[in-house]
Amino acid sequence: MQIHLDALGGVAGDMFVAALLDAFPEHEAGTLASVRAALRPSGQAIGCELLAHNDGILSGRRFAVSAGGAAEGREQGHGGGHAHRHDPHGHHDHGHGHHGHHDHGHGHHGAGHHGHRPWARIRDDLHRADLAPAVRDHALAIFGHLAQAEARVHGIAVERVAFHEVGAWDSIADIAAAAHLIAAVGASAWSVSALPLGGGRVRTQHGPLPVPAPATTLLLAGFATLDDGVPGERVTPTGAAILRHLCGGAPPARAPRVLVRSGTGFGTRRLPGISNCLRVLAFDEAAPERAAPGGHREIGVIEFEVDDQSGEDLAMGLDALRAHAGVLDAVQMPVFGKKGRMMTHVRVLARAASLEAVLEACFRETTTIGLRHRIVAGVALPRAETVVTTGDRSVRVKTVERPGGRTAKAEADDALAGADHAARARLRREAEALALEGDA
């Protein structure tokens, strides 16, 4: 399974959790159990709940978390990670008073309001928590990305990073829930759409910060972004840390896939003219193409020119491409390039589902530094290969079901030992006749 995240409104920790639970509701009980287990070592009592939500445009879910066992949601939007402190002395508090899109600090005025929880203590608590190993690993990795980004922003050691007490348990809840779902769904690949940057400033206890927040900016290096004209904080540090852990800036897959599930997770803030939601699209990889009578299929066509590779080396490279499991065929032809120079045009036909791997193989086996590719519709006749014995020789023969009847073609290499052209031709004809008789 592959999962694509469509960041219509943005990405935040709780929006990620809500969208996945909307798509995979069977994991709700396990997710809530992992949240409770993650917070148990800290002694923090929390309530979390999956709520139905409709913003008047779309419907989906919200993931609400609060202290004291009553799930009330978060005031500005969900999934922040902005409620963290960046050092033990309380500077750069992104918690209360933050007017961001997905601020964990809002609406939580519990007993730990003015305290801080060091990253080292959170890490130890996660190690002691009764979590499945895969869930613990994902949670530690996500929190680790967040802590490293905060350390870089403020020029301190990672071990000195601390999170605002309220935001700490809030972030732990979202990250533990996200970690459980990542492990439970078991997707083979994750991707995300271009991310809305937002804009403006967010107010904190110690002054304004730009949007995207500094830690978010570091975490999103390499990701595609867009400016859709909607201001405010659109991707939070926690959301960005999840993306860094799962996607790493990888583009969406181009190969054919079958959409099997979808889900929508909301933040609580309303955005002008757009739903404040994150969509999850879950795909199963398309089955390999199978030839059927008149069977249609999708084929990847890759083309490029080579003018600086010897004919001998290029021939070996093309042989390696033809042996690739995702390649259907590779051909070459002479063409004239700039200044009338001769060069080789190469065309590779690939299985659509293997296009990315074949593109990499083309760069690996040839000297080209650029190529073109596209997906085209194709049709293939059913074929089969059989081995027949004529005289003392075994010959491979390919039979094809054509509209006018079955035809056969002997493998030329298997007739190479023939004495001359006439002998080779006779051997092929006999093998082809035997193959057709055997199929009759």
Side-chain angles (χ1 to χ4, degrees):
M1 179 179 293
Q2 299 173 356
I3 292 184
H4 180 68
L5 306 172
D6 180 15
L8 179 64
V11 182
D14 63 327
M15 294 169 74
F16 176 85
V17 172
L20 277 174
L21 284 176
D22 193 38
F24 299 92
E26 66 270 25
H27 296 308
E28 180 178 353
T31 299
L32 300 183
S34 284
V35 172
R36 289 191 292 270
L39 287 162
R40 193 168 292 122
S42 68
Q44 175 65 53
I46 62 101
C48 50
E49 187 177 2
L50 187 65
L51 305 172
H53 186 77
N54 189 314
D55 67 351
I57 302 173
L58 298 173
S59 62
R61 300 298 182 104
R62 280 183 48 226
F63 182 62
V65 180
S66 68
E72 299 173 356
R74 275 153 275 191
E75 185 174 307
Q76 283 295 329
H78 286 16
H82 278 310
H84 29 277
R85 290 278 189 174
H86 307 292
D87 65 49
H89 304 293
H91 301 302
H92 309 291
D93 177 15
H94 287 187
H96 304 284
H98 186 149
H99 285 246
H101 173 199
H102 311 290
D103 176 19
H104 270 326
H106 289 68
H108 303 302
H109 302 285
H113 181 182
H114 297 293
H116 302 88
R117 184 166 293 274
W119 156 232
R121 186 184 305 168
I122 294 173
R123 184 179 57 209
D124 290 345
D125 286 346
L126 289 172
H127 276 295
R128 292 191 293 115
D130 185 19
L131 295 169
V135 175
R136 179 183 296 105
D137 290 345
H138 286 303
L140 288 168
I142 295 168
F143 241 123
H145 284 305
L146 199 56
Q148 289 167 14
E150 297 294 350
R152 285 183 59 193
V153 166
H154 300 286
I156 61 175
V158 174
E159 293 302 312
R160 291 188 60 211
V161 171
F163 295 84
H164 190 282
E165 188 74 37
V166 174
W169 64 255
D170 216 356
S171 295
I172 293 170
D174 282 351
I175 290 173
H180 179 95
L181 287 164
I182 294 166
V185 170
S188 60
W190 295 78
S191 60
V192 65
S193 65
L195 297 165
L197 278 178
R201 298 288 186 270
V202 288
R203 291 201 301 271
T204 74
Q205 285 182 337
H206 301 281
L209 284 176
V211 172
T216 301
T217 303
L218 291 176
L219 288 164
L220 294 185
F223 285 80
T225 63
L226 59 85
D227 182 0
D228 60 6
V230 179
E233 185 179 44
R234 308 290 296 281
V235 180
T236 68
T238 299
I242 292 171
L243 295 180
R244 173 57 57 188
H245 175 58
L246 293 176
C247 308
R254 297 185 182 94
R257 300 178 295 176
V258 179
L259 180 63
V260 292
R261 297 198 190 195
S262 64
T264 304
F266 285 90
T268 55
R269 180 186 171 201
R270 286 192 174 270
L271 300 177
I274 190 172
S275 289
N276 180 20
C277 68
L278 171 69
R279 285 200 310 158
V280 160
L281 303 175
F283 300 90
D284 278 342
E285 291 88 346
E289 300 92 343
R290 294 182 181 275
H296 291 267
R297 59 181 179 175
E298 288 189 320
I299 299 171
V301 178
I302 305 167
E303 295 180 300
F304 55 92
E305 286 73 43
V306 175
D307 64 359
D308 58 351
Q309 187 171 5
S310 71
E312 181 182 45
D313 190 62
L314 179 59
M316 290 188 290
L318 294 181
D319 282 343
L321 282 175
R322 293 185 187 99
H324 191 287
V327 171
L328 300 171
D329 198 6
V331 298
Q332 64 188 103
M333 59 201 80
V335 295
F336 287 100
K338 59 186 178 182
K339 300 181 180 180
R341 282 184 278 186
M342 287 293 297
M343 57 185 180
T344 302
H345 174 80
V346 177
R347 179 184 298 142
V348 179
L349 302 182
R351 301 182 190 279
S354 303
L355 183 60
E356 293 295 333
V358 176
L359 289 172
E360 181 180 337
C362 288
F363 284 121
R364 186 173 60 247
E365 298 294 344
T366 74
T367 59
T368 186
I369 59 174
L371 46 76
R372 291 89 62 197
H373 63 85
R374 63 191 185 278
I375 299 293
V376 302
V379 62
L381 294 173
R383 76 286 306 272
E385 186 176 279
T386 185
V387 178
V388 300
T389 301
T390 174
D392 60 350
R393 297 187 62 81
S394 295
V395 181
R396 291 167 293 167
V397 182
K398 180 185 294 182
T399 58
V400 179
E401 297 289 344
R402 297 184 179 277
R406 183 183 295 111
T407 61
K409 178 70 168 64
E411 181 63 46
D413 287 350
D414 292 350
L416 286 177
D420 52 31
H421 167 70
R424 292 191 295 271
R426 183 169 55 253
L427 178 64
R428 289 196 296 267
R429 286 195 302 270
E430 292 173 356
E432 290 163 0
L434 287 171
L436 291 174
E437 290 173 7
D439 289 340

